[in-house]
Amino acid sequence: MDIRIDDLRGAATIALLEAHRQNMFEHSPPESVHALDLDGLRQPGITFWSAWEGDVLMGCGALKELNAEQAELKSMRTADGHLRKGVAAKILQHIIAVARNRHYKQLYLETGPVAAFAAARALYARYGFRECGPFADYPEDPYSVFMVLDLTDAQALE
């Protein structure tokens, strides 16, 4: 699997991100959907990666800098034909490694509490993320689960 920085211009990437946002709106009310659109993902301070096997897009994920010590995981998505193949784990490992290399102390994320997000929450927990309160400018929301990984913890998975 080749994980590389993506310019968000390819048809496959755009389609995957559109499916991602559509799925978020299927499980949360509009005011509780925090998935970024293409313009949002193209903002300074956000690095977006896609994972490929040959010319087949397998998944994606992004890292958004919140400040010099904190970042947020965004737009984690595995393409439907590649679920349960370890794609999300590989992308997550890559993003955690980049966050550590950038010397962030905490890596945050926001996901949903419903069953559709259970596999994602379990993946994040396996990599050391723990539930926390809202961060950055997120409000308290019954449709959000906030999680954080302490990147300074030597016990956190490498």
Side-chain angles (χ1 to χ4, degrees):
M1 181 181 320
D2 177 30
I3 299 173
R4 58 186 181 235
I5 292 177
D6 192 307
D7 67 5
L8 297 152
R9 303 212 188 290
T13 300
I14 291 170
L16 182 60
L17 288 168
E18 287 174 353
H20 175 65
R21 282 183 46 85
Q22 180 179 344
N23 186 255
M24 299 302 104
F25 282 103
E26 289 171 6
H27 297 289
S28 302
E31 66 275 10
S32 296
V33 173
H34 304 289
L36 296 174
D37 62 14
L38 287 169
D39 288 337
L41 287 167
R42 290 182 181 129
Q43 296 302 307
I46 298 178
T47 306
F48 182 86
W49 292 272
S50 53
W52 298 82
E53 191 163 280
D55 61 353
V56 177
L57 177 62
M58 300 177 77
C60 63
L63 184 64
K64 176 182 179 181
E65 181 173 288
L66 299 174
N67 58 54
E69 296 186 345
Q70 300 173 325
E72 179 181 3
L73 183 67
K74 298 293 291 181
S75 300
M76 284 285 295
R77 181 71 178 199
T78 301
D80 288 342
H82 300 284
L83 297 170
R84 293 168 198 65
K85 293 181 180 179
V87 174
K90 293 280 190 196
I91 295 169
L92 183 59
Q93 290 167 7
H94 181 83
I95 293 174
I96 290 170
V98 170
R100 282 196 170 108
N101 287 339
R102 292 182 182 177
H103 305 289
Y104 295 127
K105 293 182 179 178
Q106 290 90 28
L107 179 58
Y108 289 91
L109 65 87
E110 181 274 339
T111 189
V114 297
F117 302 105
R121 291 190 311 270
L123 172 70
Y124 300 137
R126 277 196 311 275
Y127 281 86
F129 284 85
R130 301 290 173 248
E131 287 192 28
C132 64
F135 61 92
D137 59 354
Y138 287 100
E140 190 69 50
D141 186 338
Y143 288 92
S144 289
V145 172
F146 303 102
M147 302 180 84
V148 62
L149 175 63
D150 180 356
L151 297 171
T152 67
D153 182 358
Q155 299 299 315
L157 292 175
E158 295 292 325

